Amino acid sequence: MWDRITVEPGKMEGRPCIRGLRFTVAQLIRLAAAGWTLEQIQREYAFVEAEDLRQALLYAADASEVTTMALRESA
C-alpha cells in the first residue's frame, strides 16, 4: 500500500519519507496545506511525483485516525 513512503531509523530521525529521500511526508503535506499546487511543488522539488503527493495525503489521513489528542475547550 505504501510503496512510496519509507521509514529508516537512521534517516531523518526515523520520520516517514518520500521514496527513501531526505524529504519527509510532513514536508510535502505542509506544502500542500499551505496551498502549493503539485506544479509549484515540482518546480521547487523536481523529484516529487503526483503519486508521492497522493500517498503522502493518504498516509497523513490514516495517521490521524491512529492517535487522538485532547483539545482545549474554548472559553
Side-chain angles (χ1 to χ4, degrees):
M1 178 176 200
W2 307 117
D3 61 333
R4 292 175 176 259
I5 310 295
T6 57
V7 177
E8 299 174 47
K11 187 179 285 180
M12 302 300 287
E13 299 177 351
R15 293 185 187 115
C17 291
I18 301 298
R19 292 183 284 119
L21 302 169
R22 293 186 178 281
F23 190 75
T24 66
V25 169
Q27 288 173 287
L28 186 50
I29 295 300
R30 283 189 187 101
L31 292 173
W36 288 39
T37 65
L38 175 62
E39 293 75 22
Q40 290 171 316
I41 294 169
Q42 289 175 321
R43 272 197 296 275
E44 292 295 318
Y45 305 95
F47 55 85
V48 173
E49 299 172 3
E51 184 62 13
D52 297 331
L53 179 56
R54 189 185 79 75
Q55 281 194 28
L57 290 167
L58 287 171
Y59 186 89
D62 282 355
S64 73
E65 295 291 329
V66 174
T67 304
T68 58
M69 298 197 260
L71 299 176
R72 217 172 24 144
E73 290 186 35
S74 58

